[in-house]
Amino acid sequence: MPNPLAPATFFQQNGYYRHTEPVLGAEAIEATLRGMERVRDGDYETGMGPEDSPWKPGNDPRTLCKIEMAQQCNRAIMAAVSNPRLGEVAAQLTGASLIQAWWVQLLIKPPVAPEGDFKTNVGWHQDFQYWDCWEAGSEVFTAWLALSDVTEEAGCMHFVPGSHTWGLLGQGDFYGQDLEAQSHGIRVPAGQVWREESGALPPGGVSFHHSLTLHASGPNLSGAPRCSLAIHL
């Protein structure tokens, strides 16, 4: 069913928005995917490496790959991050006259078998709990750019609509694996309801979420890598 609310109104009320019309074309997506593979493998086109990251070249490919500031290593990734359409949509949602990217994370979630030992979930969390470099009330938020078909089966993000109005709870854990136990353990403010909505996206689609919006993602059961860039704005 089409969303009856204007995008900016939906974002303000729910704390997230899915822009399913691709902001990157097929050629740009392919170039970015190749760049992501190169950076994952330690091949830095620009001669500059990433910032200190959980992922190191040679790590087990069955684990979640998370690389900080990969755009400074590869020109195709930089082009994707600085794509004008991405900034235009972000400005339309927020009413901003200027949009600035301040941090970028490359994310590759490998496919896993349901009975596998390797856990690649991203636990329920609010981004701002990890952003103590910013003062409370700072106008920071995230654009999450899909570079593959991010379906439910592929482990797309889920959001708790309205949770951006609950304040900084400080109860999440990005690396938490038991999403159900986490959701039951987070204290929901009086009068509020925990409800989850899908963040599925096509290749080139992008979702935006507030720095206090609770979100998480489950295992990738699609049989193919789930690839994305988290662009913090």
Side-chain angles (χ1 to χ4, degrees), residues 21-123:
E21 179 184 345
V23 297
L24 294 181
E27 289 186 7
I29 291 172
E30 286 302 317
T32 307
L33 287 170
R34 289 194 299 270
M36 292 172 71
E37 291 174 358
R38 290 181 66 175
V39 173
R40 179 196 60 192
D41 296 340
D43 178 3
Y44 307 136
E45 174 192 33
T46 64
M48 182 183 296
E51 299 300 314
D52 186 43
S53 302
W55 173 271
K56 302 292 189 292
N59 280 10
D60 194 313
R62 294 172 292 181
T63 59
L64 179 68
C65 175
K66 182 171 179 281
I67 299 176
E68 308 292 336
M69 300 294 278
Q71 83 284 2
Q72 63 192 24
C73 314
N74 184 271
R75 293 181 179 88
I77 299 176
M78 175 62 84
V81 168
S82 55
N83 182 279
R85 183 59 183 148
L86 184 69
E88 289 171 3
V89 177
Q92 290 165 4
L93 285 179
T94 60
S97 58
L98 174 69
I99 296 291
Q100 180 179 16
W102 65 272
W103 199 262
V104 178
Q105 294 163 324
L106 177 157
L107 296 162
I108 302 176
K109 180 179 285 197
V112 297
E115 68 279 3
D117 294 331
F118 288 87
K119 305 300 184 184
T120 58
N121 292 350
V122 172

Side-chain angles (χ1 to χ4, degrees), residues 1-7 9-10:
M1 178 179 297
N3 172 29
L5 297 177
T9 302
F10 187 95

Side-chain angles (χ1 to χ4, degrees), residues 15 79 217:
S217 66

